Structure formats: structure tokens, C-alpha cells
Amino acid sequence: MSITPWQLGNVPGPKTALKLTGEVAGKLLKKAKNPLIIVGAEALKVKVGEKLLLDYVIEIAEVAKIPIVATSSTLSAFLERGVEPALSMGAIEITDRLRDPEWSLDGSKPHDIVVYVGITYQLQSQLLSCLKNFAPQIRTLSLDRYYHPNATWSFQNLSEKDWIENLNILMKTLKEEKKKD
Amino acid sequence: MSITPWQLGNVPGPKTALKLTGEVAGKLLKKAKNPLIIVGAEALKVKVGEKLLLDYVIEIAEVAKIPIVATSSTLSAFLERGVEPALSMGAIEITDRLRDPEWSLDGSKPHDIVVYVGITYQLQSQLLSCLKNFAPQIRTLSLDRYYHPNATWSFQNLSEKDWIENLNILMKTLKEEKKKD
Amino acid sequence: MVEKGPIKFSVKSLKGSGISLEDIEIAIGRLAMEEEWEPMGPTPMPKITTLREWDMKLLKRYRPFYMPFCDLCCLCTYGKCDLTAGKRGACGLDIGAQQGRIVLIACAIGASTHTSHARHLVDHLIEKYGENWPIDLGSDIYVEMPISRLITGIKPKTLGDLSYILKYVEEQIVQTLAAAHTGQEGSYLDFESKSLHLGMLDHLAMEVADVAQIITYNFPKGKPDAPLTEVGMGLADTTKPVILCIGHNVSSGVEIIDFMKKNGLGRPGETIEVLGLCCTAHDLTRYDEQAKIVGPISHQIRFIRSGAADVLILDEQCIHIMVLSEAQRVKTPVIATSDKACHGLPDMTNKPVEEIVDALVSGKYPGVLILDLEKAGAVAVLTALRIAPIRKKFKSLPDKADLKKVAEKCTKCGRCRRNCPIDLPTDEAVFAARQGNFDKLAELYDYCLGCARCESECPRDIPIHSLIVSAAELKIKTERYKIRVGRGPILDTEIREVGSPIVFGEIPGVVAYVGCANYPEGGRDVAIMAEEFLRRRFIVTVSGCSAMSIAMYRTEEGKTLYEEYSGAFDAGGLVNVGSCVANAHIAGAAIKIANIFARRPLRANYEEIADYVLNRVGACGVAWGAMSQKAASIATGFNRLGVPVIVGPQGAKYRRLYLGRREDRESFTVYDARTGDRVWVGPAPEHLVYVAETREEAIVMTAKLCLRPNDTTKGRMIKLTHYVELYKKYYRRLPDDLHMFIRTEADIPITFKGEIMEYLKEVGWEPWEKPVVDPTLLERLIRVKK
Amino acid sequence: MVEKGPIKFSVKSLKGSGISLEDIEIAIGRLAMEEEWEPMGPTPMPKITTLREWDMKLLKRYRPFYMPFCDLCCLCTYGKCDLTAGKRGACGLDIGAQQGRIVLIACAIGASTHTSHARHLVDHLIEKYGENWPIDLGSDIYVEMPISRLITGIKPKTLGDLSYILKYVEEQIVQTLAAAHTGQEGSYLDFESKSLHLGMLDHLAMEVADVAQIITYNFPKGKPDAPLTEVGMGLADTTKPVILCIGHNVSSGVEIIDFMKKNGLGRPGETIEVLGLCCTAHDLTRYDEQAKIVGPISHQIRFIRSGAADVLILDEQCIHIMVLSEAQRVKTPVIATSDKACHGLPDMTNKPVEEIVDALVSGKYPGVLILDLEKAGAVAVLTALRIAPIRKKFKSLPDKADLKKVAEKCTKCGRCRRNCPIDLPTDEAVFAARQGNFDKLAELYDYCLGCARCESECPRDIPIHSLIVSAAELKIKTERYKIRVGRGPILDTEIREVGSPIVFGEIPGVVAYVGCANYPEGGRDVAIMAEEFLRRRFIVTVSGCSAMSIAMYRTEEGKTLYEEYSGAFDAGGLVNVGSCVANAHIAGAAIKIANIFARRPLRANYEEIADYVLNRVGACGVAWGAMSQKAASIATGFNRLGVPVIVGPQGAKYRRLYLGRREDRESFTVYDARTGDRVWVGPAPEHLVYVAETREEAIVMTAKLCLRPNDTTKGRMIKLTHYVELYKKYYRRLPDDLHMFIRTEADIPITFKGEIMEYLKEVGWEPWEKPVVDPTLLERLIRVKK
Ligand code: SF4
Ligand code: SF4
Ligand code: SF4
Ligand code: SF4
Ligand code: SF4
Ligand code: SF4
Ligand code: SF4
Ligand code: SF4
């Protein structure tokens, strides 16, 4: 059987996300020229094992040296942890900027890979749809536990265990590849 | 990659056809309690190797002892071949009857499996959609070369060669199983 | 700009005001509508539910048959809801009601489109001609607006009255569309009843639109011998400046022709070519037959790419969204003239003509919006004159010599084909061209809808549609056919002549080929169908793109059907009524048969007239290439009036049909109005909207759907002769429902007597107890109650 | 039934008729609309393109941001077309324009719904009260219909005038919807301009609807101290017969109450309970505060299942499609009363009352359609009286004791959750119940939308929604809160008081919590938001389901917000305007500020007023649970008027936002009307429609969207104080766009002075050259041209 969207009715059309694995995600992020991670408010509620998703994402971002955009009030959680996100902005607002093929965080080269994580499913789905349709130059990744057809790559719907495993592999891949450098 | 509808835009929703193979088709038809084959006008244009699709379907129907409904003016082609279809009726009209859970060709038990073959793609797709949504008790098979998401089972989009191969296996399976009886 | 107030006028409010009613009547005039030309019928200006009972009668016999095009609903933010196989959305709706709702929305969009078209025309014409401009369709037409009289109870006398009728339509459309809101209507039957209501309103709006333009622009007023004009890609004299009008609302085109005349530039074709595409083309030739018709909607992109047009003027409807960018590629300036289709263009309405012309000629703006039609006409003409010598008919079609090179990029990925609305084997054709064989491409020319979707899908950016057109170069150059100018309404005198033979079945049927060009296998099929029935001396009426497609075909004698058959509404006549809005005259003819021939009261008497048409008028519509929301509402309007419609296989995507079941005797049981008895009359007509899989099936079904319970013996015999002949021609045996239509031996076609008798014996047929009845679905029409 | 003809009346046509104009004016009255109460402004009864330039100004700053909910188009039979990432459909449309088109269709449905609601009300009330019934909102309201005056240029005086205004709306909706037809509009910007037009029309229709009912039914006419009434599942006295009204159109409910009074049955609650659900509930209590409110739309299915209602009377809108079958399960008869929502029921309009009551009480028909409201009222009451003793409040909710057993079938397949519109973890909750733990189920009660979609998806047929409700039994029994009755419009006197502090920023903002209950995490969030701003002495206005949700929350003092805060339109006031159509009064208040306080001409002067509101009136709408097409058109109507709106995360499925970009200085550059200079004024307001991810984000954004270029120093300081406080509360630092709002040091909130000064230094802030300007987007308002 093919992968089904997490929200079963969320069938957007012919173009749907490729299946992501931890390893693929790791490699993609490693190869990305100017990646970005957008972290939503669910990251404050969802756990990856004992850790908050937010903390897990911070680790990923640090290992892979990817700048973070904190949406909504996640900013405060970052600041509490002494992490200064590259930008604090509404999920809608950052996605709006990304539509613009010229735009990037530091004004240098445009972002080629954008990771979404921790934004409530249906909003994230719509944001990914925006970029899929209006910013085809960007490849999007969803690291949430639920399949997002509108991303370029998404985990399929995973059990918590499988999800954590994939995230761990992602982390491992990032570190490994790092060593190889 | 998952199977794509032949007409790429023809994405109907969460429920899409299971992938059919010649073997599965053979087994399904063999097990069916009251199957039916509906043959459309494309069967007069499309070739299965040297044979007309129509002739091929006649063979299937004969081997599997399945009554035929001839749609549109295919009737004449059947009569030319000395084959008397069980019914001659518009593709729409027969599908309309099939919506009715009580209805069957001979008034005995309702049809459980209905095969569509040789109706122009988009019309067949819509007919299959009708039964999918309004006659969930019926399982539909498409034997055409193109993936029909609205069927219960459909071949995926096949090359001519693969399609013929599958049809041949279908035929073989029908005959084999027959022997086993 | 501000309309002065419609006044809900009550006699009461006048009493004691010191003004006598008579004075007011004279002074104000609209009261003339209330004149007693006939006693008021039961249903003036019906509301949503007024005719619900009639609808339910129809829907009981002709059950809605749904083929969902999507199993989801995405209409509100509760969704997407998966409704597959009876699941309920968050609002509680199920898949059946959802189909009904989507059809309702389509019909509302369709009806709104014609209504707004009519509104634009009427307001514009009132401005030009005054609201007291009389409705005069000539001495041969007394019942000038049968649909209006039937539905509203008004006998409209002036342009101003038409505006009033539109207010009613607008009010009703808005109310009906509201039923589509989340959490309103819940029953699929009620959704259907509302769609039928919208379809009826659509016909009313179409009648208003067409009559408004006929009376003011002096279009043919039902002229059976309207002149012939030309249609085809090959007819423009490109040595002259060429103006191309695209759309449906002829008023901007009229301004072009008027400006030319006023400024000594002669009639169309004399110094400037004035061409039309889509329905506006029909209406241009109705205004001046020296205007020419490029063709149906499929010719839009290809004609622009040919570069022949020096100016493009858009009005509304059926405009390919790419026209602007396509026109830019060939340096043709574009003038948009409708507030419904502004295409993002700068609004230059208030700028002086010269400034706009300069901007267009210099290329400062590739296109402009001009909402003042007179100004738009002037700008179009002046721009054409100035730009023609500069443009040099720049084209964006590849030369035939380059085809191979362009095709070489093709990887045969198949995406073009798999996105072509009609699944044309473009991949194979392009690939063959890669190998130097252009025949396959050229072959596609006659089938291709000209939509260019293939091109936007091609990963190698191959201009597939252009390849097809270039490969068919020769065909195009010689594409030049004759078509009869749209004649408008049917004359009362004609109705008097043919009423009886139609009702009694001696003219075997009235077949209408109407609508768009989304043909499964080319326009030729429509012509062949029309020819079949013309030869059989049915009355064939046509309109819109279908009327054009029929022209683009030559009979064995090398003539077009328009040249071979007369334009009279009579047996063997080929009646081009005109543009899409002229479809109203086809419905109008059916109504007039009931009224003029059968003397049924017309005024606000919808049910009785529809009942009459359903049971007695052997008419059948065929919308072989139906594509749009307008086509959906037109068909649905015919249905409410009791006229069945056949659509092509693509029509299955409309999602809903109305199907009868011949074996369900009860559903085809009617009252005999003479006795009140319930009598089975056979499945006639069997369906109300039907999808035919092939042309052959459509032909046979058309003949069958012309059967009516009321046929006389002779009439039935004639109709059955055609049905049996056609059935045998395409199916090679006798129809297996024949016994359901033979009431007594006298009904049996003589030519097949033996064969049929044998068949009847086989199926155990017995002569009917009550062979001929006075059939009605309306209890209240029973004359002698038992 | 037939409306007498609106008469396009021209003075010319009267001349020489022997009637003097004066006579006619007196006799007919509608001419009163033309009275010169103010010189006519530039845009009376604007057409589609009249305000296009204004729209384009807005759309240049607030760019449409599209999030396709579907990459396909299925609107015509050319399709489905794959439009992903810029591919073109067969009609040439691309994904951007398609989103614009879908939004246009949604807005057309929304606007049609209110218009048809208004039309039904007005026609009904004219029948009851006569068309000369005066529009009188009391001595404190002189500008009685600001939206009508602004848009149409008419100062309506009677019910009849309202009918005339609706005709304009109907005409415009139809024309605008026509642009959605295949092959019409092609530019996404023009689609948006048309949606803005529809939104504007929607507000006009809402104003007509609400004023019509206020003046005839004697609803509170802007009473700041409207009485308190009750809301909640637990308030019905089920020992009495209970009638439940569902929908939006109160006229059937009024007939119930009137019938009771006339027949000695007392006021609601005395012998019979009269309850309302959805907006009709608001309007019932506006008619008689002894009626009670069950709750928002989420309570519909659950209350029916509780079995408390003995009769269900439906009008229109927000009716769950399952009500009929749900009511049948608990043996509650249903009376449908709207032609827009017939639900397949037999039309008994013409049957005698007794016969209908018999049929309902006996169960012969589970439901009927009665289009005569007076009759429907009588039937409802008589049926309730007779059936109540028989029905015995039969319920279809499982007893708490059975929960475990019912839950045992669950396989934890997850389908329920994966089809829940808000992704509630129902699977886990049901599975926990299987193990005897009902807390998780009970917890869901506050979040559940009550849509029952989960149930229709469950392969084990578990009544999940019922389980949730039964598990929350205790909560429900005690669900009983106070709400202030909808007060209707804002008084002119109030406007005079608060106009200056609002415009100059001393009242930091007007926040409107409106619309439906599709909340991401329960209605409590709306109450918490409202409380935050009430404490900060913003003016908080509320309506519809939001007004109910806000009631269902107690502050730390154990009171509802309605009990704690006054109902005055003043700082710290909580103003329940009423039902959805009463939203018009919120827009009306903004308009009245421009007109009454700032003396801007009102009549047909849309652009100037909208420009004023955008630049000066610190108002912001929050439709946290927006779900429907109506909500889409209401929000869009606010947008055209210059009022920003925030929706909840589900609102992303509306597909389109209007977003500003603060870094785009040019887009936030305006004219200084005093000098004509182009001046940057900072991103205020930053967005026009915005989706907030969380309640916290919505709160902070709300405070920010109340900023306006025209704020005085004091005002800006106060507004920034709230913005900074809230930002710090939720984001834990200073906002990083703060420097864009501080024009001079005097703008800096005193409490944060040091901190902010430091920040400003860091970012290199400099005081603005022109700190305060007279900001406008309209060139023509520049007073001194350079
Ligand atoms: S109904 Fe049409 S737009 Fe909606 S989900 Fe289905 S294909 Fe997409
Ligand atoms: S309208 Fe109904 S079925 Fe459609 S998305 Fe909304 S809730 Fe679902
Ligand atoms: S889409 Fe383009 S490359 Fe693919 S088969 Fe068609 S023409 Fe060739
Ligand atoms: S332009 Fe012709 S070939 Fe191309 S998709 Fe359209 S119909 Fe098919
Ligand atoms: S309206 Fe346009 S995009 Fe939509 S299905 Fe029709 S052709 Fe395709
Ligand atoms: S759908 Fe039914 S069986 Fe599946 S998890 Fe939900 S309650 Fe359990
Ligand atoms: S009833 Fe409640 S739990 Fe069930 S799908 Fe609707 S919102 Fe979700
Ligand atoms: S607020 Fe929304 S859901 Fe509630 S009654 Fe009004 S329209 Fe319906």
C-alpha cells in the first residue's frame, strides 16, 4: 500500500512527498547549500523519548549548523535554553518570505532546503503546499511523525518508536558525514 | 513510487484501486459468485497482439463462464462473431442498474464482481466512481491497460507487452483453476 | 450610474394620494406588464420551492445518477472531508448530496454568467436606445418571449421590462446559491430541485440577452433564409488589418463595426477584417454578415499564434486565460472590455482614445482594459490600422521545416498525453515527428481542443499544440466553409405549420446540437450526427460552437450542410439559431408549440407547459462537446422543461445524470387526462440527461428520445421506423425494448413488419388496452375525475 | 407572490404627464431615498470595477499569499487539471488564479447566504409590517445604517428601501460570480478585487438583515446594558416541553414566541422552554431574553442526542445535515422552514395546522417542511405540547455505565482521529475507555467540534462523539453560564465619546471576536484572548458562536466575562452585538468613527472612509474558529474596509491571506495629505488577513495590528506598551520590529524606556523626520499639492 496522508482526507493531487528516512534526511541536510529549519509550537509539547522535540531540533541544528526560525512563541523556549534563533517570525510570515526566490536569511544565496517541524498538522500542510506550488526551487522536508504529502520529502506516518529511531539515524548520519568531511 | 492514474490529474481521493495482476484477476473471477463483464466500444479498436480486445474478452468470458454486457454498438461486433451477449445496454444504463443492490442480470443473486473493459478512459473512470461510492457491495475490476483509481482492482499503467502478458496469465489462471475444480 | 429606485408599487399606496391610477399607468409605463393579455397562471415568478413538486415528479422517474469526480469535499475549513461511499463530512453531508451541491454550484455559475451577460447587454442597450425601446420581433412573431411569459407571467414590451425580469433572476440565483453553503440543504433531491430552478432561470436570462440584442442591433428576426457567411482558419485576408473579437458579448464588436462605418472604413472585410471566435462570432455575423467566423473555442490559441490578428478584443466568457501572453508573443495588442474579465490590465477607460492607441501601438502596454465600449471600438480600429503595417503578422508557430528539430527534444515521457483532456496520443505523434513523420501530428489537428495543456506539462518545453497546427498547415490554409448566420427565434407561422406534425409524431423529432467543442473525437462527429437526422427529415437546430463544427464538414457533394439544407424550422431544416444565448429560442419553440399550436395557456403556467413538452414534443438536445458550467445549466434548464439531453463521454465529469429505468413500469405511468386513469405509456422519453459512449450510441439514443407518449399511430410508426433503422444500422438487430413502444399493431413500422411481429410474439407482447391517451403527470389536469 | 414592478423612474418621463413631481414623491415614497442628506459621493452603488483601484492599492501592500488546499481543478469537464506549481489547466488558468477563483466562489456563497437571509427577512417583514415601516433605531442613533449609506449613497428610511438595496446586492453578486466561470477572469489580482467586492456586498446585506429585524422585532437598539440571559447544555428545564430552534433566521422562532403569548402559554420558559442553537439563539434572546441559548454549533448533535428537545425547528444556515436522522433516533419531530434547507421533507405548507401536528405527533412523518412561518410557529408549539408527555426525553447517548462496553469494540485503528477536523486523539481516548479510563474522553469534550465525522469513519461503528459527551456528563449538567443579549448597533453617542481616543490611540484598540467554533483547541482560548484585552481596556466586540464560547468560561472570580465587564462600547467594554449578521455593526462602528467623529463625508464615499479606517481606526478582527464561506466573505469585507483579521490555524485552509512585508518600505509609504509628501509610516497595520499558529501568537499579533499610522504620540506609546508587554509575556524579549513603530522618543513606553533605548541604539534607530503625518493612500485627498 502506498503512503497515506496523516489526515486521511488530505489528498492534494498528483504531486506528493517522497518518503523520507533518517538517513536520507541526514544526507540531504548535509549536502544542502543553504538550509533552514522552521520550528513550530508543537515542538514544545511533543516528546522524543525523554527529550522535548524542541531540544532535539536544537541539537540537529547545532550539529548540522543550520539556522533556526522560531515561529509563534517558541522563541521564549529557545531563549530559556540560551539558544538564539536566527529569526523569530510567524510561520506564515517566514513562509511568505520563502516564496520569494531572492530572499534568504542573510541575504546571500537563496535557501535550497527548508525543514518544517512542530507546526500543527493542517497549518504545516498548507505552508508546505504554498512552497510546493509557488517556490518550486525550494525542497521542503517535514520531520514530524506524520506524513505530509505537500512536502518534497516527509516521514511516513510513524509509530513513536520508529520516529525516534529515524531521528536518531538522522542525527547519526549528520555526525558521521561530518567526520568524513 | 506509487501507482499513478493514467490521466495524471485523475486523483479521486483516499480510496484508490488495488494493483491487479493477471493472476489475481484470474483468481478473483474464478472465485466470484456472480460476476459480469461490461465491454465497451474501445474493445473494437484496441489490439491484444494480433487479436482484437473484443475477441480476447469473449474468450475470457467463455472460459470463465461470465455473462457479457455489450455497451453502445459493440453488440453488432458480438453478433457478427455469433456471440450473444447477455445484455446490450448503454454503459451508463448498466451501471445505473448495478447501483441497485437487488439487481442482477437474471434476477437471482446480486453481482459481486463486475469487470469493465474497453470503455473510453474518462467515462469508465466515472462509471467506476459511481459504483465505488454508491455500490460498495460490488467489487470492480478494470482490465484495461491503464490504471483506474476508481476501480477496486486495476492493472497499473502497463506497456502493451506487459498488458498482454498479464491478460495471458489471467487466461492461464482461469483455465488452470478450472482444472483444479 | 445609480439606477433610480424600483418601486414596489401598490395600488393601496396610491389611494387617497390624489392621483388616479390611470394617470400613473400612463405616466410610468412599466405597469403595462400587468396588462391582461391572458389570465395570470398559477406560478408567476416562481421561487425556489414553487415548482418543487414538479421537480420531484421528474426526479422520481428520472433518478439522479451520480459519478463523483472527486470523493472529497474541500468547500470549508472543516475539510477536506472524505465522503467515499457514504461517509459523512463534518457538516454531515454525504457523497450524494455533495454531488448535488457541486452541480448546483456549477448551474449557479452558469446561470450567473448568462444573467450577467444579459444584464450588461440590457444596461448598455438601455443607455444607447432608452428603456422604452420596443420589443418587436416582426410581424411573424407574436409570442415574442415565450420563456419570459411562461416563467414570469410578464409580457415584456420594452428594454426596461427586460431589466425588471433580470432583477427577478438575480434575486433567485442568489437565494439558490445560498443553499450550497455549508450547513444548509441536506437532501440530494432538493439540491437537484434547486439546480433545475437555476437551469430554468438560465433560460430566462438567455432569452432576455438574445432578444435584447436582436431588437436593438437588428439581428435577423427569425429569418429562415438568413444569409450564409464564412467560417474557418483560412478566411482572413491578412493583407488587410485584422481585428479578432473573442468571447460572447457582441456589444464591443458592434462598436467596432459602427466606428468603421461612421469613419468611412466600410463594412467588415472592405478595409479591415473583423473576425469573431466563439459565440461572439455568431453575433457579429448576425449584425453584419460580412464579419467572419474563425471557429469554435478550439481555434483560439492556434489563430492567435498564426499571427493574423492585429488587434484582439476580448469581451466575456470562453476566453483562454493565456490569450494575453499568447498575444504578446506575436505582438498583438489586447483590449479587454468586460469587468468580469479584466486580466490584470490597466484600466484606461477614462483616458483619451489617442493616448490609448499610442500606448498599444508603441507596445508601452501589451494590453489595456477599456470599459467604455464605444471607446474600445474606436481604439480597436485605430490601433489595427496603425499597427498592421508594423507587426507584419509576426507568428509563433514553427515553420513546417523546423518541426523535426523541435520534436527532437521529445523523450516520449507521455506526460502530454496523460494530461490531454481527451487523451490524444500526442507523445506518439511528437515522437514520430522526431523521426520525420508528421502525419500523426497532422491527424490530431481535427481532434485537438487547442487547450495547450500538453505544452504546459511537457518537461522539454515542446510546443506540442503548435506542432500539431503547423503539421496541418495545408488543412488550415484551405479551412474555409459556409455557415448560415444565426437566425434567432422561430416564427409563430413556422410553429403553426409544424406544431401538429411534431406533436403527433409525423415530424419524427426536433434535435438540437448545441454547446461547446469538448468533443471526444473531433467536431466531425457532430456534423455526421446532424446529417443523419437531416436526411431523415428531423428538424435540426444548432447553436454555438456546435453550429460552427457542423459547418466545417462537407457532404459527399462537397457542400456544407448549411448549403444543402434549408434554414427553415421544418422537416429537414438546419436551423442555426445563433450564439449560446440563442439556445433560448430552441426551448422557446417547444413552449410555443404548446401555446400556439395546442393553445395551452402560457402565462405563468410552467408545470402544464413542461408537462406538455415532456409528453408530446419530441425534442432532444445533444451537447456532444459540453464542457462548461453554462452547458450544465442550459441542459438542466431543458430538463425542467421536459426536454432530454445527451452529452458526450466527457460529460460524465459533470457528475450527475437523470436516468429512467424502462423496466420500472410505475415510473412511466401517467394520468390519462380524459379519464384520470393511471396508464403505463412506455419509457418515453427514457432519460433526461444521458451520457453516450460513442457517436453511434448517441444517434440511436437521439432517435429513441424523440418518442413521446402522445404520438399518434402514424407518428409512432414513423418514429419507430427511424429508431429501428438506426438501431439495426449500428447494432445489427432489433432493439430489445421495442415492445415497450408498440402500443398496437398499427404502430409497427411497415418496412420491418414481419420481423417485428415475430419479435413481439417471442416476447409475449399484447396490444395495449389504452393505446393512446392524453398523458399528463399533473393530477390537476384531469378533466373528468372518477 | 408576484412583486409588482420596480419602476425605473425618471423625472423626464413624468414631465408633461400632468402629475407634479411633488405628488409622486408623496405618493410613492421611495424617492425619499434620493433626498439630499449629504452631497452624493463619488462611488454610489459601486460595480465590480468601481473600487478596483482601491483594491489594487491594498493588494500591492498586502499581497495575496496562497496555500492551495488542492493542486487540481475539477470545475469543468476539461479537467481534472493538474495545476501544481504553475502548470496551466485546459482553460489556461494557473494555480494562483485558481486559488483566487475558489476564494471568489466561497465569498459569493457567503455573500449570497447573508443576502438571501436578508431577502427572506425583509420580504417576510414587509408582508407583516408593510414596506413603509420606518427605520428607527432610537434617538441615540442618527446614522442608522452606515454601511448602506457608505456603499449605496442611500439613506434608507423604510423596510421597502431595504428591499431596494438588496436588489443592488443581488445584481452585483450574480455579476461577480460570473467571473468564476471557465474562461473569464484570468488574473489573481482581479479575482481578489472581486472577492473584496463580494465581501463588501456581504456586509451591506448583513446590515440590511440585522436592521430589518431590529426595527420590526424591537430588538435592543444598541443598548449597552442589554440584559443577561443564559447559555449552556444544562439550562433546559426538561420537565417542560422543549422547543429547539437551529439556524440563523429568527423569524420562525419569533412566530413560536408570538403564538405562545397569544395563546396564553406565557413567555419562553414559563410553560414551554424555547431554546436556540447557533446564531438564531442570539436573535431569540434579542427578541425575548427568557429564551435561552444552548450553545454554538458544536452543541448541535450532542444536544439533540440528549433527547431534551421535543420539537426541532430548523431555519437556515449552520444546520448539521444529520439533524433529521439524529432527531429521528430520539423521536423528536423536525420542522424545516426555509426553502434553502428543505432536507427532502414533504411540503405541508398548505395543510391545516391540526393535520400537520397529528402527522408529527403520530410519527407519520418524522419531519415536515412548512414555508409559512406563522403556521410553522403554531405547529411547533402545538406539537411540543402534545408530544412532550409521550416522548419522555428519549435519548441516544450511552449511559456512563455502558461506556466501557461500547468502547470495547475499538481496535485503535486510528481512522477516527485521522478524520477528525482538528486531529483530536479520539483513538487513544476510546482505547483508554476500553480499559475503564474515561478521563481522556471527558477531556475531549471542551475541544470537540461535535461534527460526528469520527463516527461515520469508525469501522466498528463506535459512537465516538457520544462517548465523549457521556463521559463529560457532569460538565454538561452544570454547563450554565451568563451571556449578555446581543445589543445590536453602536450608539452615535458612544462613537462621539470614544472616537477621539480610538483614532488617536488612547483606547489601544477595538478587537472583535467573531465567527464560528472551528477552534483548534477549544473555545476557552477565545475567552482567554478576550479577557487579556478586556483587562487592558481595549474595546472588545463579539458576535455569533464566539460570543457564546466567550460566555462559557469563568474568570478567577468565578464569573463570566459578561458579568465582569460592561456592555458599553468603551474601554474595557465587552460588546455582544448579536448574531452573525450583527457583525455589520462592528464594521458600522468603524465607519461611524470616520463619519461622526472625524466628519468625513459618508455618502457613497467608500475609498475615503476605508482609507480613513485603514490609517486611523485601530481595529482588528479575530475569527479564531472561522470555518464557513460566510466567514470568508465577512473577513474579506472587513479587509476592503481596511480592518485586519486574524484567523486560527484551521483558517489556512481558506487558501488565501493578505500579507504585508514590514521590510518593504515602499509598500508602507503613504501620502501626507497635508503636503503630498510620500512618507514611510511603518508597517501599520502589517497584515490584512493573517493565520496565527497559536493563541499566544494571535494575542501578540492582535495588539500589533491595532497600531495605525495616525496614532498620536500618547496613543502610540500606550499601544506599544501593550504590544511590548504582551510580546515580552509570550516571547520573553523585545519585539524585533519595535524600531519600525517608534517615531520619536516620545513614542517609547515609559515602563520599558531604558531597555528600549538600548535596543534602538543597537539597531541604529533614528527619530523620524516626519513623526506624525496625515496619512492617506489616496492621491486625491492631498490638500496642498506641491
Ligand atoms: S473537489 Fe476538486 S478541488 Fe476539491 S479536493 Fe476534489 S479535486 Fe480538489
Ligand atoms: S462543506 Fe461539509 S463536507 Fe465539505 S469540507 Fe466542509 S464540512 Fe466537509
Ligand atoms: S510531454 Fe513532451 S517530452 Fe513528454 S512525450 Fe510529450 S512532447 Fe514528448
Ligand atoms: S492542445 Fe490538443 S493535444 Fe494538447 S492537451 Fe489540449 S487537446 Fe490535447
Ligand atoms: S476550469 Fe480550467 S483548470 Fe478547471 S477543470 Fe476546467 S479547464 Fe481545467
Ligand atoms: S475508528 Fe473506531 S475502532 Fe478505530 S480507533 Fe477510532 S474508535 Fe477505535
Ligand atoms: S465529533 Fe469531535 S472528535 Fe469526532 S471528528 Fe468531530 S471534532 Fe473530532
Ligand atoms: S458563528 Fe459561524 S458556526 Fe456559529 S452560528 Fe454563526 S455562522 Fe454558524
Side-chain angles (χ1 to χ4, degrees), chain C residues 73-76 78-81 83 89-91 93 101 182, chain D residues 629:
Chain C
C73 174
C74 58
L75 286 177
C76 85
Y78 276 154
K80 292 183 177 178
C81 295
L83 307 177
C91 62
L93 215 69
R101 175 159 69 156
T182 304
Chain D
Q629 299 85 10

Side-chain angles (χ1 to χ4, degrees), chain A residues 59-78:
Chain A
E59 273 181 52
I60 293 176
E62 275 170 2
V63 173
K65 297 213 179 80
I66 304 178
I68 286 176
V69 178
T71 75
S72 179
S73 55
T74 50
L75 175 61
S76 58
F78 283 102

Side-chain angles (χ1 to χ4, degrees), chain A residues 64-108:
Chain A
K65 297 213 179 80
I66 304 178
I68 286 176
V69 178
T71 75
S72 179
S73 55
T74 50
L75 175 61
S76 58
F78 283 102
L79 297 179
E80 271 167 18
R81 286 157 176 79
V83 177
E84 179 74 28
L87 195 62
S88 154
M89 212 179 216
I92 288 285
E93 293 176 306
I94 176 64
T95 307
D96 178 35
R97 266 74 179 173
L98 287 169
R99 289 200 286 167
D100 188 340
E102 310 288 294
W103 189 90
S104 71
L105 257 188
D106 59 5
S108 66

Side-chain angles (χ1 to χ4, degrees), chain C residues 2-9 13 17 19 23-24 27-28 30 44 47-49 52 69-70 74-82 87-93 105 108-109 112-113 115-116 119 126 131 163-164 167 170-171 173-175 177-179 181-187 190 194 297 316-322 339-345 347 369 371 415 419 421 449 451 453 456-457 518 626-630 650 653-655, chain D residues 2-9 13 17 19 23-24 27-28 30 44 48-49 52 69-70 74-82 87-93 105 108-109 112-113 115-116 119 123 126 131 163-164 167 170-171 173-175 177-179 181-187 190 194 297 316-322 339-345 347 369 371 415 419 421 449 451 453 456-457 518 626-630 650 653-655:
Chain C
V2 203
E3 254 185 85
K4 297 285 183 352
I7 297 176
K8 244 190 212 157
F9 199 90
S13 69
S17 69
I19 309 172
D23 286 344
I24 292 290
I28 297 175
R30 191 65 36 84
K47 293 176 185 258
I48 294 181
T49 46
R52 185 174 181 252
F69 197 21
C70 186
C74 58
L75 286 177
C76 85
T77 78
Y78 276 154
K80 292 183 177 178
C81 295
D82 174 14
K87 288 173 189 164
R88 299 271 177 175
C91 62
L93 215 69
I105 293 173
I109 293 177
S112 291
T113 303
T115 305
S116 106
R119 165 62 66 201
I126 285 181
E131 61 170 349
S163 176
Y164 176 62
K167 292 264 174 201
E170 288 155 352
E171 182 193 308
I173 290 176
V174 167
Q175 286 184 51
L177 178 61
H181 195 279
T182 304
Q184 297 258 61
E185 192 52 88
S187 146
D190 272 307
K194 289 170 170 69
I297 188 167
E316 55 173 292
Q317 303 165 52
C318 297
I319 301 165
H320 196 284
I321 304 305
M322 301 280 285
D339 57 2
K340 279 160 280 175
C342 302
H343 291 262
L345 293 169
D347 188 346
L369 175 65
L371 296 165
R415 292 195 71 86
N419 282 285
L449 308 173
C451 70
R453 205 173 133 197
S456 112
E457 280 285 345
N518 188 15
M627 166 274 285
S628 67
Q629 300 86 10
K630 286 181 290 176
Q650 299 291 319
K653 293 187 268 180
Y654 278 125
R655 303 167 169 84
Chain D
V2 203
E3 253 186 85
K4 297 283 183 355
I7 297 176
K8 244 192 215 156
F9 200 89
S13 70
S17 68
I19 309 171
D23 286 345
I24 292 290
I28 298 175
R30 191 65 38 85
I48 294 181
T49 45
R52 185 176 182 249
F69 198 21
C70 186
C74 58
L75 286 177
C76 85
T77 78
Y78 276 155
K80 294 186 178 178
C81 295
D82 174 13
K87 287 174 191 165
R88 299 271 175 175
C91 62
L93 215 70
I105 292 173
I109 294 176
S112 290
T113 303
T115 304
S116 107
R119 164 63 65 201
D123 284 0
I126 284 180
E131 59 171 349
S163 176
Y164 175 62
K167 292 262 174 202
E170 287 155 351
E171 182 194 307
I173 290 176
V174 166
Q175 288 185 48
L177 178 61
H181 195 280
T182 303
Q184 298 258 62
E185 193 53 87
S187 146
D190 272 308
K194 289 171 167 71
I297 189 167
E316 55 173 292
Q317 306 165 52
C318 298
I319 301 164
H320 197 284
I321 306 304
M322 301 280 285
D339 56 3
K340 277 159 283 176
C342 302
H343 291 261
L345 293 168
D347 188 347
L369 175 65
L371 296 166
R415 293 195 70 87
N419 282 285
L449 308 173
C451 70
R453 207 173 132 196
S456 111
E457 280 285 345
N518 187 15
M627 164 274 284
S628 67
Q629 299 85 10
K630 287 182 289 176
Q650 300 290 320
K653 292 188 269 182
Y654 278 125
R655 303 166 169 87

Side-chain angles (χ1 to χ4, degrees), chain D residues 64 89 165 175 214 223 226 271 284 323 377 388 418 511 619 625 634 636 639 653 657 667 694 696 726 750:
Chain D
I165 290 174
Q175 288 185 48
I214 291 174
K223 267 177 88 170
T271 59
L284 276 174
V323 283
R418 292 176 66 189
V511 185
I634 296 176
T636 308
N639 291 160
K653 292 188 269 182
L657 303 173
S667 73
T694 60
E696 292 81 7
L726 287 166
I750 304 169

